[in-house]
Amino acid sequence: MQGNDIEQLTKLIAKLPALGARSARRIVLHLLKKKETSLLPLITALQNVADNIKKCPICGNFDTEEPCAICADTARDIETICVVQDVADLWAMERAGIYRGQYHVLGGILSALDGITPEDLNIESLFLRLNDRRVQEVILALPATIDGQITNHYLLSRLKEYPVKVTTLAQGLPLGGELDYMDDGTIQLALSARKEI
Amino acid sequence: MQGNDIEQLTKLIAKLPALGARSARRIVLHLLKKKETSLLPLITALQNVADNIKKCPICGNFDTEEPCAICADTARDIETICVVQDVADLWAMERAGIYRGQYHVLGGILSALDGITPEDLNIESLFLRLNDRRVQEVILALPATIDGQITNHYLLSRLKEYPVKVTTLAQGLPLGGELDYMDDGTIQLALSARKEI
C-alpha cells in the first residue's frame, strides 16, 4: 500500500549492516517526516561522499585526497607502518590518538573458511612500500582471532626478507576488564604474559 | 583523519532512529566499499522519495499519489475509518492484510508530558471526514498506553456528536504469548475480558 519508492528505499536500507526490516521502516518514516532537516541533508552528504571519496593508492584508506591525509602528512613518522584489517580499524587507531605513523589497510584477513588468499588482500603493495629503506618497524594490528593469527604468521614469514622490526599489539585484560567477565583464553594470555611491577 | 565528507555523513546517519556512532561508522564504511551496489542505489532511492512522496491530504498517509493509493482505492470499504497514531501503524495494519477500510493518521497522540494538545494533531480533519454520512464506524487503533487511552477518551467524547459506531482494538494475550512472560496488566485485562468457548 505504501508507494513503490518507499518500498524500494526501505529494502535498500534494510540491507545495510546492523539494520533489518523493522529499523529500516523506522528510519524511512523518520526521513519522510523530516524531509528538510534529515532527508535532504542526508542525500547531499551521501552525494558528496560518492563524488569525492577515493581509496588511497598507498595505504588503502578512504579520503577526499589522493594520497590520503595520513600518507600526505609530513609531520607523521615515516619509519613505522601499522598493518590493519580494515579502514574501521584505522579509524579506531586514530581515535585512540596515540599513533603517529603510517598505515596499511589489508582489506581483510586470510581465511581458509571464506577462501581468502593473499592475492585477495592488499598485501603485495605492503612489501613494495618496504623497499623504501626508511621504514624501520611494521606493527601487525590484526584481530586477536585464529584468522588474525594465521595472517600474522603469513606476514611474519614474508617480512623476514626485509630489514624491519615486526611487532604486534599487546594482548591481555582490556582497560576496566573484570576477571569474572573475561573468557578463559584472555585470562591464560594475561597470566602467561604477566609483568613484574 | 577521515575526510570531512565522511565525518559529516557519519554524523547524519548516527542521528537516525535506532542508530548510533558505532553503527553509523559501520554503515558508512559499507557504503564506501560498495559504491556501485549500495551507495549509488541508495542515493537514487532517497532522491526518488524526496522528489515523489507527498502526505495524503485526506488521511495523512505518505504516498507518491495525492490522495494516497488507499484513499483512492474504490474497492476499499468507505464506511469504516481506522484512526492510527502514525504512518508506521498504518503500515503494520496493512501488513496484517485483513483490514479493507479507510485510515486516518493522527500524527501523534495527546500527551500532557510532551505538551501535545488536540490542535497539534490531525484531528479536526477526521471530523470533517465524518460529514460524509456514508461513514458508519470509527475504529480507534491507538497504542495501549495511558496517553493512548486519554486520546481514545478525547476522541470518543467528540465522536458522540456524530452518528457513528466507535470501536477499539481488542486487548489480551498476543498470539503465542506465554503467561509467564506477560506483565500483570495484560493478564488482568485478558482475565477480565475472558470469553466462553
Side-chain angles (χ1 to χ4, degrees), chain B residues 109-160:
Chain B
I109 49 176
L110 298 177
S111 167
L113 217 62
D114 299 334
I116 311 274
T117 65
E119 288 72 44
D120 299 318
L121 302 178
N122 188 25
I123 283 184
E124 289 312 314
S125 57
L126 171 64
F127 301 118
L128 289 179
R129 292 177 76 181
L130 294 182
N131 290 331
D132 179 343
R133 293 297 172 183
R134 286 175 297 179
V135 178
Q136 304 291 316
E137 180 179 355
V138 172
I139 304 172
L140 302 178
L142 298 176
T145 59
I146 301 287
D147 282 344
Q149 284 175 8
I150 290 171
T151 311
N152 273 345
H153 231 80
Y154 173 81
L155 289 173
L156 194 58
S157 70
R158 296 278 313 269
L159 286 167
K160 274 182 188 153

Side-chain angles (χ1 to χ4, degrees), chain A residues 48-62:
Chain A
N48 284 344
V49 162
D51 291 345
N52 302 332
I53 302 297
K54 305 161 197 78
K55 198 177 205 172
C56 173
I58 298 175
C59 73
N61 188 16
F62 288 114

Side-chain angles (χ1 to χ4, degrees), chain B residues 5 7 12 25 47 63 91 128 135 151 157-158 160 178-179 182 196:
Chain B
D5 290 333
E7 251 171 69
L12 281 173
R25 284 196 300 268
Q47 192 65 57
D63 205 342
W91 291 352
L128 289 179
V135 178
T151 311
S157 70
R158 296 278 313 269
K160 274 182 188 153
E178 294 186 49
L179 277 184
M182 288 296 135
E196 201 171 317

Side-chain angles (χ1 to χ4, degrees), chain A residues 101-196:
Chain A
Q102 310 295 312
Y103 289 99
H104 196 83
V105 181
L106 293 186
I109 49 174
L110 298 178
S111 167
L113 217 60
D114 299 333
I116 311 275
T117 64
E119 288 72 43
D120 299 319
L121 302 178
N122 188 23
I123 283 184
E124 290 311 314
S125 56
L126 171 64
F127 300 118
L128 289 179
R129 292 176 76 180
L130 295 182
N131 290 332
D132 179 343
R133 294 297 170 183
R134 286 174 297 179
V135 179
Q136 304 291 316
E137 180 178 356
V138 173
I139 305 173
L140 301 178
L142 298 176
T145 60
I146 301 285
D147 282 345
Q149 284 176 9
I150 289 172
T151 312
N152 273 345
H153 231 80
Y154 173 81
L155 290 173
L156 194 59
S157 70
R158 296 279 311 267
L159 286 166
K160 274 184 189 152
E161 300 167 23
Y162 298 86
V164 291
K165 185 165 78 171
V166 183
T167 58
T168 67
L169 297 186
Q171 289 189 296
L173 297 183
L175 209 64
E178 295 186 50
L179 277 184
D180 196 20
Y181 290 90
M182 287 297 134
D183 61 297
D184 298 349
T186 300
I187 294 180
Q188 286 162 13
L189 258 171
L191 190 65
S192 62
R194 66 190 181 278
K195 292 190 296 185
E196 201 169 316

Side-chain angles (χ1 to χ4, degrees), chain A residues 1 3 5-6 12 17 19 25 29 32-33 35 39 41 43 46-47 50 52-53 63-64 86 88 94-95, chain B residues 1 3 5-6 12 19 25 29 32-33 35 39 41 43 46-47 50 52-53 63-64 86 88 94-95:
Chain A
M1 286 314 112
D5 289 334
I6 298 181
L12 281 173
L19 295 179
R25 283 197 299 268
L29 207 60
L32 282 167
K33 287 182 190 167
K35 185 173 169 179
L39 175 54
I43 293 176
L46 285 165
Q47 191 67 57
N52 302 332
I53 302 297
D63 205 343
T64 43
D86 210 341
E94 286 298 294
R95 282 198 303 279
Chain B
M1 286 316 113
D5 290 333
I6 297 181
L12 281 173
L19 294 179
R25 284 196 300 268
L29 206 60
L32 282 167
K33 286 182 193 168
K35 186 173 170 181
L39 175 54
I43 293 176
L46 285 165
Q47 192 65 57
N52 302 332
I53 302 297
D63 205 342
T64 42
D86 210 341
E94 286 298 295
R95 280 199 303 280

